[in-house]
Amino acid sequence: MNPDRLEQQMRFLIEIDKLKHVFRQTLLMDASRYENDAEHSWHLALMAILLSEHAAEQQLDTLRVLKMLLIHDLVEIDAGDTFCYDKAGNRDKAAREQKAADRLFAMLPHEQGPEVRALWDEFEAGRTPEARFAGALDRLHPMLHNYQTRGAAWRKHGVRKKDVLDRNRAIEQGSPALWEYAKRLVEESVRKGFLCE
Amino acid sequence: MNPDRLEQQMRFLIEIDKLKHVFRQTLLMDASRYENDAEHSWHLALMAILLSEHAAEQQLDTLRVLKMLLIHDLVEIDAGDTFCYDKAGNRDKAAREQKAADRLFAMLPHEQGPEVRALWDEFEAGRTPEARFAGALDRLHPMLHNYQTRGAAWRKHGVRKKDVLDRNRAIEQGSPALWEYAKRLVEESVRKGFLCE
């Protein structure tokens, strides 16, 4: 074992503690405070463990799904959280996140940085079954929080039923079953007044 | 797909949002507030992804390590966090956590509950290479936080060098390399006044 290599990995692990300070637009399910990216990533990983049977593809590499979900938001340490319905913020999001990825993953030892970067690129591109399933969970998760908090983030930002369906339609590519569930959640939310038509 | 089964899984995923409210004795690395169990579990999973090369056993099932780390603290939703140096609290910890595991994992569908319970039992027993490595990370992680916060939790609770070494010696079973690193961290902490001899 090369102590410099371990030291470099530890510096990265210390750096990413900052993800616990990146707050999202989503409230915790008891609506007591905003959720941060580290908690969100943990919750997604649990969803992947428990819901992989509902993925579009049955022969999924769950380890790769988990790795992607656990690292997918690290770039927000530099780039910040961009609310998915914020059109202006989403215009330069990709460029901000690429720059963040360049800095962060370069902190890792020589072959490990590119490995983690490749996982992040795969998640972002959404072209493999694993990335599509991970992406579906990343979209479904805030919908669960919104439903549990009576549409708090939707109402705060004037998000409507059509916005939610347009934004989250990609869930179907990763999991038709979860997309059916998501659509029922949207209908229930409209019926209960958590989301406007 | 059976909608009742998915509904049951979702109820569990909603229930475990409570882990974000279970606070530990560890401060975040910038010392701004206490860390919660969801953040801790996410950070451990990242450690497992990046540090598995340092495990005692080279043929490790990383997926099982990740699953164990992501679920290992769920029982604290009912049982609360027990500070590892709190002798009184640790006396009935096992009983409190067994009861919590009984309630929580029974929320999952019939074969999935026992599967997750088996992972938790494996982590607790620490008899497989995967459980020993996961346990090593669970011990090392608060040491990193303590070092970064100039020994905040150690000093608050009057924890001494011998306590830290005794408590964390099991790291060696999971990873001799990380145990070497941990011992250097302890020496540095004593030298810098973060930890008393």
Side-chain angles (χ1 to χ4, degrees), chain A residues 1 5-7 9-10 12-14 16-17 19-21 28-30 32-33 35-36 38-39 41-43 45-46 50-51 53-54 63 66 70 74 112 140 145 148 181, chain B residues 1 5-7 9-10 12-14 16-17 19-21 28-30 32-33 35-36 38-39 41-43 45-46 49-51 53-54 63 66-67 70 112 140 145 148 181:
Chain A
M1 203 266 306
R5 182 175 163 92
L6 178 54
E7 200 50 66
Q9 291 165 326
M10 288 297 183
F12 180 85
L13 287 165
I14 289 161
I16 66 171
D17 200 61
L19 199 67
K20 301 168 189 170
H21 298 285
L28 294 192
M29 290 191 183
D30 72 348
S32 58
R33 65 163 171 84
E35 184 187 40
N36 68 55
E39 297 165 327
S41 303
W42 165 79
H43 213 160
L46 258 291
L50 297 174
L51 304 179
E53 66 191 82
H54 307 296
L63 178 58
L66 284 180
L70 290 161
L74 287 176
Q112 204 166 34
L140 179 59
H145 278 259
Q148 293 298 317
Y181 180 88
Chain B
M1 201 264 305
R5 182 175 164 92
L6 179 54
E7 201 50 67
Q9 291 165 326
M10 288 298 182
F12 180 84
L13 287 165
I14 289 161
I16 65 171
D17 200 60
L19 198 67
K20 301 168 190 171
H21 298 284
L28 294 193
M29 290 190 183
D30 71 349
S32 59
R33 64 163 171 84
E35 185 187 41
N36 68 55
E39 298 166 326
S41 303
W42 165 80
H43 214 160
L46 258 291
I49 291 172
L50 296 175
L51 304 178
E53 67 192 81
H54 307 296
L63 178 58
L66 284 180
K67 285 180 176 179
L70 290 161
Q112 203 166 34
L140 180 58
H145 278 259
Q148 293 298 317
Y181 180 89

Coordinates of all heavy atoms in Angstrom, one line a residue, chain A residues 1 5-7 9-10 12-14 16-17 19-21 28-30 32-33 35-36 38-39 41-43 45-46 50-51 53-54 63 66 70 74 112 140 145 148 181, chain B residues 1 5-7 9-10 12-14 16-17 19-21 28-30 32-33 35-36 38-39 41-43 45-46 49-51 53-54 63 66-67 70 112 140 145 148 181:
Chain A
M1 N 0.8 -1.2 0.0 CA 0.0 0.0 0.0 C 0.9 1.3 0.0 O 1.8 1.4 0.7 CB -0.9 0.0 1.2 CG -2.2 0.8 1.1 SD -2.0 2.5 1.8 CE -1.4 2.1 3.5
R5 N -1.1 7.5 -1.7 CA -2.4 7.2 -2.4 C -3.6 7.2 -1.4 O -4.6 7.9 -1.7 CB -2.3 5.8 -3.0 CG -3.5 5.4 -3.8 CD -3.2 4.0 -4.5 NE -4.5 3.5 -4.9 CZ -5.1 3.7 -6.1 NH1 -4.4 4.4 -7.0 NH2 -6.3 3.2 -6.4
L6 N -3.4 6.6 -0.3 CA -4.4 6.6 0.7 C -4.7 8.0 1.2 O -5.8 8.5 1.4 CB -4.0 5.7 1.9 CG -5.0 5.6 3.1 CD1 -6.4 5.2 2.7 CD2 -4.5 4.6 4.1
E7 N -3.6 8.8 1.4 CA -3.7 10.2 1.8 C -4.6 11.0 0.8 O -5.4 11.8 1.2 CB -2.3 10.8 1.9 CG -2.2 12.0 2.8 CD -2.8 11.9 4.2 OE1 -2.4 11.0 5.0 OE2 -3.8 12.6 4.4
Q9 N -6.8 9.8 -1.3 CA -8.2 9.3 -1.1 C -8.9 10.0 0.1 O -10.1 10.4 0.0 CB -8.3 7.8 -1.0 CG -7.9 7.1 -2.3 CD -7.5 5.7 -2.2 OE1 -7.0 5.2 -1.1 NE2 -7.8 4.9 -3.2
M10 N -8.2 10.1 1.2 CA -8.7 10.7 2.4 C -9.0 12.2 2.2 O -10.0 12.7 2.6 CB -7.8 10.5 3.6 CG -7.7 9.1 4.0 SD -9.3 8.5 4.7 CE -8.8 6.9 5.2
F12 N -9.9 13.6 -0.5 CA -11.2 13.6 -1.3 C -12.4 13.3 -0.4 O -13.4 14.1 -0.5 CB -11.1 12.6 -2.4 CG -12.3 12.5 -3.3 CD1 -12.5 13.4 -4.4 CD2 -13.4 11.6 -3.0 CE1 -13.6 13.4 -5.2 CE2 -14.5 11.6 -3.8 CZ -14.6 12.4 -4.9
L13 N -12.2 12.3 0.5 CA -13.3 12.0 1.4 C -13.6 13.1 2.3 O -14.8 13.3 2.7 CB -13.0 10.7 2.1 CG -13.1 9.4 1.2 CD1 -12.4 8.2 1.9 CD2 -14.6 9.1 0.9
I14 N -12.6 13.9 2.7 CA -12.8 15.0 3.6 C -13.5 16.2 2.8 O -14.4 16.8 3.3 CB -11.5 15.5 4.2 CG1 -11.1 14.4 5.2 CG2 -11.6 16.9 4.8 CD1 -9.6 14.4 5.6
I16 N -15.5 16.0 0.3 CA -16.9 15.7 -0.1 C -17.9 15.8 1.1 O -19.1 15.7 0.9 CB -17.1 14.4 -0.8 CG1 -16.8 13.2 0.0 CG2 -16.3 14.4 -2.1 CD1 -17.2 11.9 -0.6
D17 N -17.3 16.0 2.3 CA -18.2 16.3 3.5 C -19.1 17.5 3.2 O -20.2 17.7 3.7 CB -17.3 16.6 4.7 CG -18.1 16.4 6.0 OD1 -18.6 15.3 6.2 OD2 -18.3 17.4 6.7
L19 N -20.9 18.1 0.7 CA -22.2 17.8 0.1 C -23.3 17.9 1.2 O -24.5 18.1 0.8 CB -22.1 16.4 -0.5 CG -23.2 16.1 -1.5 CD1 -23.0 16.9 -2.8 CD2 -23.3 14.6 -1.9
K20 N -22.9 17.7 2.5 CA -23.9 17.8 3.5 C -24.4 19.2 3.7 O -25.4 19.5 4.5 CB -23.3 17.2 4.8 CG -22.9 15.8 4.7 CD -22.0 15.3 5.9 CE -21.4 13.9 5.5 NZ -20.4 13.5 6.5
H21 N -23.8 20.2 3.1 CA -24.2 21.6 3.2 C -24.9 22.1 1.9 O -25.3 23.2 1.8 CB -23.0 22.5 3.4 CG -22.2 22.2 4.6 ND1 -22.7 22.6 5.9 CD2 -21.0 21.5 4.8 CE1 -21.8 22.2 6.8 NE2 -20.8 21.5 6.2
L28 N -37.8 17.8 3.9 CA -37.9 16.4 4.5 C -39.4 16.0 4.6 O -40.3 16.9 4.5 CB -37.3 16.4 5.9 CG -35.8 16.6 6.0 CD1 -35.3 16.2 7.4 CD2 -35.0 15.8 4.9
M29 N -39.7 14.8 4.7 CA -41.1 14.3 4.6 C -41.9 14.9 5.8 O -43.2 14.9 5.6 CB -41.1 12.8 4.5 CG -40.6 12.4 3.2 SD -40.9 10.6 2.8 CE -40.1 10.4 1.2
D30 N -41.3 15.3 6.9 CA -42.1 15.9 8.0 C -42.1 17.4 7.8 O -42.6 18.1 8.7 CB -41.6 15.5 9.3 CG -40.3 16.2 9.7 OD1 -39.6 16.7 8.7 OD2 -39.9 16.1 10.8
S32 N -40.0 19.7 8.1 CA -39.3 20.5 9.2 C -38.2 21.3 8.6 O -37.8 22.3 9.2 CB -38.8 19.6 10.3 OG -37.9 18.6 9.8
R33 N -37.5 20.8 7.5 CA -36.4 21.6 7.0 C -36.1 21.1 5.6 O -36.6 20.0 5.2 CB -35.2 21.5 7.9 CG -34.6 20.1 8.0 CD -33.2 20.1 8.5 NE -32.7 18.7 8.8 CZ -32.2 17.9 7.9 NH1 -32.1 18.2 6.6 NH2 -31.8 16.7 8.3
E35 N -33.9 19.3 2.6 CA -33.1 18.2 2.5 C -31.7 18.5 1.9 O -31.7 19.4 1.0 CB -33.8 17.1 1.6 CG -33.1 15.8 1.5 CD -33.7 14.9 0.5 OE1 -34.1 15.4 -0.6 OE2 -33.8 13.7 0.8
N36 N -30.6 17.9 2.3 CA -29.4 18.2 1.6 C -29.0 17.0 0.7 O -29.6 15.9 0.7 CB -28.3 18.5 2.6 CG -27.9 17.3 3.5 OD1 -27.5 16.2 3.0 ND2 -27.9 17.5 4.8
A38 N -26.5 15.0 0.5 CA -25.9 13.7 1.0 C -27.1 12.8 1.5 O -27.1 11.6 1.2 CB -25.0 14.0 2.2
E39 N -28.1 13.4 2.1 CA -29.3 12.6 2.6 C -30.0 12.1 1.4 O -30.5 11.0 1.3 CB -30.2 13.5 3.4 CG -29.6 14.1 4.6 CD -30.4 15.2 5.2 OE1 -31.0 16.0 4.5 OE2 -30.4 15.3 6.5
S41 N -28.9 11.5 -1.6 CA -28.1 10.4 -2.3 C -28.3 9.1 -1.5 O -28.4 8.0 -2.1 CB -26.6 10.8 -2.4 OG -26.5 12.0 -3.0
W42 N -28.2 9.2 -0.2 CA -28.4 8.0 0.6 C -29.8 7.4 0.4 O -30.0 6.2 0.2 CB -28.3 8.3 2.1 CG -28.8 7.2 3.0 CD1 -28.2 6.1 3.3 CD2 -30.1 7.2 3.6 NE1 -29.0 5.3 4.1 CE2 -30.2 5.9 4.3 CE3 -31.2 8.0 3.7 CZ2 -31.3 5.6 5.0 CZ3 -32.4 7.7 4.4 CH2 -32.4 6.4 5.0
H43 N -30.8 8.2 0.3 CA -32.2 7.8 0.2 C -32.4 7.1 -1.2 O -33.0 6.0 -1.3 CB -33.2 8.9 0.3 CG -34.5 8.6 0.9 ND1 -35.3 9.4 1.5 CD2 -35.1 7.3 1.0 CE1 -36.4 8.8 2.0 NE2 -36.3 7.5 1.7
A45 N -30.0 5.6 -2.9 CA -29.4 4.3 -2.9 C -30.3 3.2 -2.2 O -30.3 2.1 -2.7 CB -28.0 4.4 -2.1
L46 N -31.0 3.6 -1.2 CA -31.9 2.6 -0.6 C -33.0 2.3 -1.5 O -33.5 1.1 -1.6 CB -32.5 3.3 0.7 CG -32.0 2.8 2.0 CD1 -32.4 1.3 2.3 CD2 -30.5 2.9 2.1
L50 N -34.0 -1.5 -2.9 CA -35.3 -2.1 -2.7 C -36.2 -2.2 -3.9 O -37.1 -3.1 -4.0 CB -36.1 -1.4 -1.6 CG -35.4 -1.4 -0.2 CD1 -36.1 -0.5 0.8 CD2 -35.3 -2.8 0.3
L51 N -35.9 -1.4 -4.9 CA -36.8 -1.3 -6.1 C -36.3 -1.8 -7.4 O -36.9 -1.7 -8.4 CB -37.3 0.2 -6.3 CG -38.0 0.9 -5.1 CD1 -38.4 2.3 -5.4 CD2 -39.2 0.1 -4.6
E53 N -36.1 -4.6 -8.7 CA -37.0 -5.5 -9.4 C -38.0 -4.8 -10.4 O -38.5 -5.5 -11.2 CB -37.8 -6.3 -8.4 CG -38.8 -5.5 -7.6 CD -39.4 -6.2 -6.4 OE1 -38.7 -6.2 -5.3 OE2 -40.5 -6.7 -6.5
H54 N -38.2 -3.5 -10.2 CA -39.1 -2.8 -11.0 C -38.4 -2.1 -12.2 O -39.1 -1.3 -12.9 CB -39.9 -1.7 -10.2 CG -40.5 -2.3 -9.0 ND1 -41.6 -3.2 -9.0 CD2 -40.3 -2.1 -7.6 CE1 -41.9 -3.5 -7.8 NE2 -41.2 -2.8 -6.9
L63 N -24.6 -2.8 -8.5 CA -23.5 -2.1 -7.9 C -23.2 -0.8 -8.6 O -22.9 0.2 -8.0 CB -22.2 -3.0 -7.9 CG -20.9 -2.4 -7.4 CD1 -21.0 -2.0 -6.0 CD2 -19.8 -3.4 -7.5
L66 N -25.8 1.8 -7.8 CA -25.5 2.4 -6.5 C -24.4 3.4 -6.5 O -24.5 4.5 -6.0 CB -25.2 1.3 -5.4 CG -26.4 0.5 -4.9 CD1 -25.9 -0.6 -3.9 CD2 -27.4 1.4 -4.2
L70 N -24.7 7.4 -5.6 CA -23.9 7.9 -4.5 C -23.0 9.0 -4.9 O -22.7 9.9 -4.0 CB -23.2 6.7 -3.8 CG -24.0 5.7 -3.1 CD1 -23.3 4.4 -2.8 CD2 -24.6 6.3 -1.8
L74 N -22.2 15.0 -6.4 CA -20.9 15.5 -5.9 C -20.6 16.9 -6.5 O -20.1 17.8 -5.9 CB -19.7 14.6 -6.0 CG -19.8 13.3 -5.1 CD1 -18.6 12.4 -5.4 CD2 -19.7 13.8 -3.6
Q112 N -8.3 6.2 -10.4 CA -9.5 6.2 -9.7 C -10.4 7.4 -10.1 O -11.6 7.3 -10.2 CB -9.3 6.2 -8.2 CG -10.5 5.6 -7.4 CD -10.1 5.3 -6.0 OE1 -9.3 6.0 -5.4 NE2 -10.7 4.3 -5.5
L140 N -38.0 10.3 -9.3 CA -39.2 9.9 -8.5 C -39.0 10.4 -7.0 O -40.0 10.8 -6.4 CB -39.3 8.4 -8.5 CG -40.4 7.8 -7.7 CD1 -41.8 8.3 -8.1 CD2 -40.4 6.2 -7.8
H145 N -41.3 13.2 -1.8 CA -41.2 14.2 -0.8 C -42.2 15.3 -1.0 O -42.8 15.8 -0.1 CB -39.8 14.9 -0.9 CG -38.7 14.1 -0.1 ND1 -38.3 14.4 1.1 CD2 -38.1 13.0 -0.5 CE1 -37.4 13.5 1.5 NE2 -37.2 12.6 0.6
Q148 N -45.6 13.9 0.2 CA -45.6 13.8 1.7 C -45.7 15.1 2.3 O -46.2 15.2 3.5 CB -44.4 13.0 2.2 CG -44.3 11.6 1.8 CD -45.5 10.7 2.4 OE1 -45.9 10.9 3.5 NE2 -46.1 9.9 1.6
Y181 N -46.6 4.4 -11.2 CA -46.7 4.8 -9.8 C -46.7 6.3 -9.7 O -47.5 7.0 -9.0 CB -45.6 4.2 -8.9 CG -45.7 4.6 -7.5 CD1 -46.5 3.9 -6.6 CD2 -45.0 5.7 -7.0 CE1 -46.5 4.3 -5.2 CE2 -45.0 6.1 -5.7 CZ -45.8 5.4 -4.8 OH -45.9 5.7 -3.5
Chain B
M1 N -46.1 -6.9 -12.2 CA -45.8 -6.2 -10.9 C -47.1 -6.1 -10.1 O -48.2 -5.8 -10.5 CB -45.3 -4.8 -11.3 CG -44.5 -4.2 -10.2 SD -45.4 -3.1 -9.1 CE -46.2 -2.0 -10.3
R5 N -47.3 -4.7 -3.5 CA -45.9 -4.9 -3.1 C -45.1 -3.6 -3.2 O -44.4 -3.2 -2.3 CB -45.3 -6.0 -4.1 CG -43.9 -6.3 -3.8 CD -43.4 -7.5 -4.7 NE -42.0 -7.5 -4.6 CZ -41.3 -8.3 -3.8 NH1 -41.9 -9.1 -2.9 NH2 -39.9 -8.2 -3.8
L6 N -45.3 -2.9 -4.3 CA -44.6 -1.6 -4.5 C -45.1 -0.6 -3.5 O -44.3 0.1 -2.9 CB -44.9 -1.1 -5.9 CG -44.3 0.3 -6.3 CD1 -42.8 0.3 -6.1 CD2 -44.6 0.6 -7.8
E7 N -46.4 -0.6 -3.2 CA -46.9 0.3 -2.1 C -46.2 0.0 -0.8 O -45.9 0.9 0.0 CB -48.4 0.0 -2.0 CG -49.2 1.1 -1.4 CD -48.9 2.5 -2.0 OE1 -49.2 2.8 -3.2 OE2 -48.4 3.3 -1.3
Q9 N -43.2 -1.3 -0.3 CA -41.9 -0.8 -0.4 C -41.8 0.7 -0.2 O -40.9 1.2 0.4 CB -41.3 -1.3 -1.8 CG -41.0 -2.8 -1.8 CD -40.8 -3.3 -3.3 OE1 -41.4 -2.7 -4.2 NE2 -40.0 -4.3 -3.4
M10 N -42.8 1.4 -0.8 CA -42.8 2.8 -0.7 C -43.1 3.3 0.7 O -42.5 4.2 1.2 CB -43.9 3.4 -1.7 CG -43.5 3.3 -3.1 SD -42.0 4.3 -3.5 CE -41.9 4.0 -5.3
F12 N -42.2 1.8 3.4 CA -40.9 1.6 4.1 C -39.9 2.8 3.7 O -39.3 3.4 4.6 CB -40.2 0.3 3.7 CG -38.9 0.0 4.3 CD1 -38.9 -0.6 5.6 CD2 -37.7 0.3 3.7 CE1 -37.6 -0.8 6.2 CE2 -36.5 0.1 4.3 CZ -36.5 -0.5 5.5
L13 N -39.9 3.1 2.4 CA -39.0 4.2 2.0 C -39.4 5.5 2.6 O -38.5 6.4 2.8 CB -38.9 4.3 0.4 CG -38.1 3.1 -0.2 CD1 -38.4 3.0 -1.7 CD2 -36.6 3.3 0.0
I14 N -40.7 5.7 2.8 CA -41.2 6.9 3.5 C -40.8 6.9 5.0 O -40.3 7.9 5.5 CB -42.7 7.1 3.2 CG1 -42.9 7.5 1.7 CG2 -43.3 8.2 4.1 CD1 -44.3 7.2 1.2
I16 N -38.3 5.5 6.4 CA -36.9 5.6 6.7 C -36.4 7.1 6.5 O -35.2 7.4 6.8 CB -36.0 4.6 6.0 CG1 -36.0 4.8 4.5 CG2 -36.4 3.2 6.4 CD1 -35.0 4.0 3.7
D17 N -37.2 7.9 6.0 CA -36.9 9.4 5.9 C -36.5 9.9 7.3 O -35.7 10.8 7.5 CB -38.0 10.2 5.4 CG -37.6 11.5 4.8 OD1 -36.7 11.5 3.9 OD2 -38.0 12.6 5.3
L19 N -34.5 8.7 9.3 CA -33.1 8.6 9.7 C -32.3 9.9 9.6 O -31.3 10.1 10.2 CB -32.4 7.5 8.7 CG -31.0 7.0 9.2 CD1 -31.2 6.1 10.5 CD2 -30.3 6.2 8.2
K20 N -32.9 10.8 8.8 CA -32.3 12.2 8.6 C -32.5 13.0 9.8 O -31.9 14.1 9.9 CB -33.0 12.8 7.4 CG -32.8 12.0 6.1 CD -33.7 12.6 4.9 CE -33.6 11.6 3.7 NZ -34.6 11.9 2.7
H21 N -33.3 12.5 10.8 CA -33.5 13.2 12.1 C -32.7 12.6 13.2 O -32.8 13.1 14.4 CB -35.0 13.2 12.4 CG -35.8 13.9 11.4 ND1 -35.9 15.3 11.3 CD2 -36.7 13.4 10.5 CE1 -36.8 15.6 10.3 NE2 -37.2 14.5 9.8
L28 N -20.1 17.8 11.8 CA -19.6 17.9 10.4 C -18.2 18.4 10.4 O -17.8 19.0 11.4 CB -20.5 18.8 9.6 CG -22.0 18.4 9.3 CD1 -22.6 19.3 8.2 CD2 -22.1 16.9 9.0
M29 N -17.5 18.2 9.3 CA -16.1 18.6 9.3 C -15.8 20.0 9.5 O -14.7 20.4 9.9 CB -15.4 18.0 8.1 CG -15.4 16.4 8.2 SD -14.4 15.6 6.9 CE -14.6 13.9 7.3
D30 N -16.7 20.9 9.2 CA -16.5 22.3 9.5 C -17.1 22.7 10.8 O -17.2 23.9 11.1 CB -17.2 23.2 8.4 CG -18.7 23.2 8.4 OD1 -19.3 22.3 9.2 OD2 -19.4 24.0 7.7
S32 N -19.9 22.9 12.0 CA -21.1 23.8 12.1 C -22.3 23.2 12.8 O -23.2 23.9 13.3 CB -21.5 24.3 10.7 OG -21.8 23.2 9.9
R33 N -22.4 21.9 12.7 CA -23.6 21.2 13.4 C -23.3 19.7 13.5 O -22.3 19.2 12.9 CB -24.9 21.5 12.6 CG -24.9 20.9 11.2 CD -26.3 20.8 10.6 NE -26.2 20.4 9.2 CZ -26.1 19.1 8.7 NH1 -26.1 18.1 9.6 NH2 -26.1 18.9 7.4
E35 N -23.8 15.7 12.8 CA -24.1 14.9 11.6 C -25.3 14.0 11.9 O -25.4 13.5 13.0 CB -22.9 14.1 11.3 CG -23.0 13.3 10.0 CD -21.8 12.3 9.9 OE1 -21.4 11.7 10.9 OE2 -21.3 12.2 8.8
N36 N -26.1 13.7 10.9 CA -27.2 12.8 11.1 C -26.8 11.4 10.4 O -25.8 11.3 9.7 CB -28.5 13.3 10.6 CG -28.7 13.5 9.1 OD1 -28.4 12.5 8.4 ND2 -29.0 14.7 8.7
A38 N -28.3 9.6 8.2 CA -28.4 9.4 6.7 C -27.1 9.9 6.0 O -26.6 9.2 5.1 CB -29.6 10.1 6.2
E39 N -26.6 11.1 6.5 CA -25.4 11.6 5.9 C -24.2 10.7 6.2 O -23.3 10.5 5.4 CB -25.1 13.0 6.5 CG -26.2 14.0 6.3 CD -26.0 15.2 7.2 OE1 -25.6 15.1 8.4 OE2 -26.4 16.3 6.7
S41 N -24.3 7.5 6.7 CA -24.4 6.3 5.9 C -23.9 6.5 4.5 O -23.2 5.7 3.9 CB -25.8 5.8 5.9 OG -26.2 5.5 7.2
W42 N -24.3 7.7 4.0 CA -23.8 8.1 2.6 C -22.3 8.2 2.5 O -21.7 7.6 1.6 CB -24.5 9.4 2.2 CG -23.8 10.0 1.0 CD1 -24.0 9.6 -0.3 CD2 -22.8 11.0 1.0 NE1 -23.1 10.3 -1.1 CE2 -22.4 11.2 -0.4 CE3 -22.1 11.7 2.0 CZ2 -21.4 12.1 -0.7 CZ3 -21.2 12.7 1.6 CH2 -20.8 12.8 0.3
H43 N -21.7 8.8 3.5 CA -20.3 9.0 3.6 C -19.5 7.7 3.7 O -18.5 7.4 3.0 CB -19.9 9.9 4.7 CG -18.8 10.8 4.4 ND1 -18.5 12.0 5.1 CD2 -17.8 10.8 3.5 CE1 -17.4 12.6 4.7 NE2 -17.0 11.9 3.7
A45 N -20.6 4.8 2.5 CA -20.7 4.2 1.3 C -19.7 4.7 0.3 O -19.1 3.9 -0.4 CB -22.1 4.4 0.7
L46 N -19.4 6.0 0.3 CA -18.4 6.6 -0.5 C -17.0 6.0 -0.1 O -16.2 5.7 -1.0 CB -18.4 8.1 -0.4 CG -19.0 8.8 -1.6 CD1 -18.2 8.7 -2.9 CD2 -20.4 8.4 -1.9
I49 N -16.6 2.6 -1.6 CA -16.3 2.6 -3.0 C -14.9 2.9 -3.3 O -14.2 2.3 -4.1 CB -17.2 3.6 -3.7 CG1 -18.7 3.2 -3.7 CG2 -16.8 3.9 -5.2 CD1 -19.7 4.2 -4.2
L50 N -14.3 3.9 -2.5 CA -13.0 4.4 -2.8 C -11.9 3.6 -2.1 O -10.8 3.6 -2.6 CB -12.9 5.9 -2.5 CG -13.8 6.8 -3.3 CD1 -13.8 8.2 -2.8 CD2 -13.5 6.7 -4.8
L51 N -12.2 3.0 -1.0 CA -11.1 2.4 -0.2 C -11.1 0.9 -0.2 O -10.3 0.3 0.6 CB -11.2 2.9 1.3 CG -11.2 4.4 1.5 CD1 -11.3 4.8 2.9 CD2 -9.9 5.0 0.9
E53 N -9.9 -1.3 -2.0 CA -8.5 -1.9 -2.3 C -7.7 -2.1 -1.0 O -6.7 -2.8 -1.0 CB -7.8 -1.0 -3.2 CG -7.4 0.4 -2.6 CD -6.9 1.4 -3.6 OE1 -7.7 2.1 -4.3 OE2 -5.7 1.6 -3.7
H54 N -8.0 -1.4 0.1 CA -7.3 -1.5 1.3 C -7.9 -2.5 2.3 O -7.4 -2.6 3.4 CB -7.3 -0.1 2.1 CG -6.7 1.0 1.2 ND1 -5.5 1.0 0.7 CD2 -7.3 2.1 0.7 CE1 -5.3 2.1 -0.1 NE2 -6.4 2.8 0.0
L63 N -20.8 -4.9 -3.4 CA -22.2 -4.6 -3.4 C -22.8 -4.9 -2.0 O -23.6 -4.2 -1.4 CB -23.0 -5.5 -4.5 CG -24.5 -5.3 -4.5 CD1 -24.9 -3.9 -4.7 CD2 -25.1 -6.2 -5.6
L66 N -21.7 -2.3 0.5 CA -22.5 -1.1 0.3 C -23.9 -1.2 0.9 O -24.3 -0.3 1.7 CB -22.6 -0.7 -1.2 CG -21.4 -0.1 -1.8 CD1 -21.7 0.2 -3.3 CD2 -21.0 1.2 -1.1
K67 N -24.5 -2.3 0.6 CA -25.9 -2.6 1.2 C -25.8 -2.5 2.7 O -26.7 -1.9 3.3 CB -26.4 -3.9 0.7 CG -26.9 -3.9 -0.7 CD -27.4 -5.3 -1.1 CE -28.0 -5.3 -2.5 NZ -28.5 -6.6 -2.9
L70 N -25.4 1.0 4.0 CA -26.5 1.9 3.7 C -27.7 1.6 4.7 O -28.5 2.5 4.9 CB -27.0 1.8 2.3 CG -25.9 2.4 1.3 CD1 -26.2 1.9 -0.1 CD2 -26.0 3.9 1.3
Q112 N -38.3 -9.8 1.1 CA -37.4 -8.7 1.1 C -37.0 -8.3 2.6 O -35.8 -8.0 2.8 CB -37.9 -7.6 0.4 CG -36.9 -6.6 -0.2 CD -37.4 -5.6 -1.2 OE1 -38.6 -5.2 -1.1 NE2 -36.6 -5.3 -2.2
L140 N -13.8 4.1 11.5 CA -12.8 5.1 11.1 C -13.5 6.4 10.8 O -12.9 7.5 11.0 CB -12.1 4.6 9.8 CG -11.1 5.5 9.2 CD1 -10.0 5.9 10.2 CD2 -10.5 4.9 7.9
H145 N -13.8 12.7 11.3 CA -14.6 13.9 11.8 C -14.0 14.5 13.0 O -13.9 15.7 13.1 CB -16.1 13.5 12.0 CG -16.9 13.5 10.7 ND1 -17.7 14.5 10.3 CD2 -16.9 12.6 9.7 CE1 -18.2 14.2 9.2 NE2 -17.8 13.0 8.8
Q148 N -10.8 16.3 12.1 CA -11.0 17.6 11.3 C -11.6 18.7 12.2 O -11.5 19.8 11.9 CB -12.0 17.3 10.2 CG -11.4 16.4 9.1 CD -10.2 17.1 8.4 OE1 -10.2 18.3 8.1 NE2 -9.1 16.3 8.2
Y181 N -3.4 3.7 9.4 CA -3.8 5.1 9.2 C -4.5 5.7 10.4 O -4.1 6.8 10.9 CB -4.7 5.2 8.0 CG -5.2 6.6 7.7 CD1 -4.4 7.5 6.8 CD2 -6.3 7.1 8.2 CE1 -4.9 8.7 6.5 CE2 -6.8 8.4 8.0 CZ -6.0 9.2 7.1 OH -6.4 10.5 6.9

